[in-house]
Amino acid sequence: MTRTLRPQSTPDALMCLLREQQLVRSADRASDGSWLVLRSTYGPKRALDGPLDIVDFALDVLLDHKLELEDQAA
């Protein structure tokens, strides 16, 4: 059974969504509120320091996923 943490903010909720939907390989929240994310198996780890970085990253991932789904449907 997996443990689900309750998001404390919108950026946290976005990162939890990306992780639960397996749109990122890993996403770990630090005690200072930043996130360390790995988007693909062989990609670089990225540190997302603030809410703006987190929301921008999440929107990029969601847009890429949307485009992939549109390509599959075509």
Side-chain angles (χ1 to χ4, degrees):
M1 176 169 29
T2 60
R3 188 178 81 157
T4 303
L5 297 175
R6 183 175 178 180
Q8 300 298 317
S9 66
T10 300
D12 288 351
L14 284 169
M15 294 309 295
C16 290
L17 172 75
L18 295 179
R19 188 172 45 200
E20 289 169 2
Q21 296 299 314
Q22 299 179 350
L23 297 176
V24 294
R25 188 82 174 145
S26 69
D28 300 308
R29 188 178 191 276
S31 60
D32 65 355
S34 64
W35 284 81
L36 186 62
V37 295
L38 180 63
R39 190 165 175 180
S40 63
T41 304
Y42 302 107
K45 283 192 174 185
R46 289 185 56 187
L48 305 174
D49 295 321
L52 192 57
D53 288 342
I54 295 166
V55 171
D56 189 46
F57 175 81
L59 289 174
D60 284 344
V61 171
L62 292 170
L63 178 60
D64 287 348
H65 185 64
K66 177 184 181 279
L67 294 173
E68 286 176 19
L69 291 174
E70 288 175 350
D71 284 345
Q72 291 174 3

